[in-house]
Amino acid sequence: LLFMFGILGISMIEKSADDMNVAGYQLRDTNALYASEAAVDFAYAAFNAAIDSTNAPPNPLPSDSFDMDRFHVVYDVNAVGASTQRTLTTGSYAGLYGLVQDYDIWGYARSDATGVQNSVRIRMERALIPLFQFAIFYDDVLEFHPGPAMTISGRVHSNDDLYLDALTGLKVASNLTSGGRIMHGKHPASGEANYNGPVDIKDNTGAYQSMKNADGTWLDNN
C-alpha cells in the first residue's frame, strides 16, 4: 500500500509540474502576442502620422526593431502589389471607387531567453477617392437650412461639422458623412432660430428615416 501511494504521489507531483509548465508557456505566448500587437500599432501610427502631415505614405515605409520588456520586437510595413482602381466594399465610402493600395503591417516578438515567439499581421487599404463622385464635398462647416422643399440626390460629405435644418422639408437621398459632428439646427454663431420642418435621410435599405424622434427631440450627434 505504501508503495502504491508513493507511485500515486509521484504521478500527481509530475502532473502538477506539467500543468505549471503549460500555464507558464501560455502566459509567455500571450505576452509575445501583446508585444506583436504593440509593434503593429506603433507602425500603423507612424504610417498615419505621415499621411496626416504630408498626405502621402512615408518613404521609406516604417520598419524598425526595439527591445520591450523581455522581448525583441520587429515591425515592418510593405506595399502589396501595385495600386488598382476598384469599388470600395466596406466603411463609410462603400460603393465609391478609388485608386486603392494595399499594405501589410507585420509585428513580430521573440524572447531569446525562453524561445517563445509570436507575430501579428494586418491588411490595410489606402484609397484615393475622386471627389466628383460626391454631390457635395465641403472642407469647412457645412449647413443646410432651405426654405422651399429640397432633395439632395448624391453623396454629401463635410470634413468639419454638418448642420441640417429645414423650413418646409429636406431629404437626403444618399450617404451623408462628416469628419466632425452631424447636428440638427443652425450653426450657433448664426444667431437665428431653428426651423422645425422635417429632415429625412435614406438608410441602407432605401427607406427614409426622420431626424425627428417621436417625443419631438432631434436625433443628431448629441
Side-chain angles (χ1 to χ4, degrees):
L1 287 174
L2 287 174
F3 176 75
M4 292 300 296
F5 285 136
I7 295 296
L8 288 172
I10 292 171
S11 298
M12 292 176 64
I13 292 171
E14 289 179 346
K15 185 179 185 306
S16 176
D18 289 342
D19 290 343
M20 290 177 64
N21 288 336
V22 170
Y25 178 83
Q26 289 176 338
L27 177 61
R28 293 191 294 271
D29 182 67
T30 301
N31 288 340
L33 176 64
Y34 290 158
S36 301
E37 289 179 343
V40 166
D41 288 343
F42 189 88
Y44 181 78
F47 187 96
N48 278 342
I51 296 291
D52 290 341
S53 60
T54 66
N55 202 32
N59 187 18
L61 292 171
S63 179
D64 205 351
S65 63
F66 56 91
D67 292 322
M68 183 175 68
D69 198 5
R70 296 177 297 278
F71 292 97
H72 182 66
V73 180
V74 179
Y75 64 85
D76 197 24
V77 180
N78 296 295
V80 180
S83 56
T84 57
Q85 289 189 4
R86 59 180 184 261
T87 301
L88 304 179
T89 57
T90 60
S92 299
Y93 304 118
L96 297 177
Y97 75 89
L99 187 63
V100 182
Q101 175 66 62
D102 293 324
Y103 294 90
D104 273 344
I105 304 181
W106 287 90
Y108 169 78
R110 174 182 173 84
S111 171
D112 292 331
T114 62
V116 173
Q117 58 187 353
N118 219 324
S119 63
V120 172
R121 183 192 70 144
I122 64 171
R123 174 65 60 89
M124 177 178 65
E125 293 181 347
R126 178 175 183 260
L128 297 176
I129 303 171
L131 294 185
F132 62 78
Q133 298 175 90
F134 291 84
I136 299 167
F137 191 101
Y138 212 66
D139 197 44
D140 298 317
V141 175
L142 179 59
E143 294 184 74
F144 292 103
H145 39 82
M150 179 180 183
T151 298
I152 304 172
S153 298
R155 288 175 177 260
V156 178
H157 176 80
S158 169
N159 280 341
D160 207 316
D161 292 342
L162 200 157
Y163 287 83
L164 302 173
D165 196 13
L167 179 61
T168 306
L170 172 64
K171 292 183 180 293
V172 182
S174 186
N175 294 55
L176 181 78
T177 54
S178 169
R181 302 173 299 166
I182 296 179
M183 307 291 293
H184 176 266
K186 297 184 177 65
H187 193 283
S190 70
E192 298 181 13
N194 293 336
Y195 294 142
N196 200 39
V199 178
D200 300 299
I201 305 169
K202 269 190 180 179
D203 63 16
N204 60 346
T205 69
Y208 279 106
Q209 300 292 340
S210 175
M211 247 184 132
K212 196 169 190 178
N213 296 315
D215 61 0
T217 60
W218 293 91
L219 182 65
D220 61 11
N221 191 83
N222 288 329

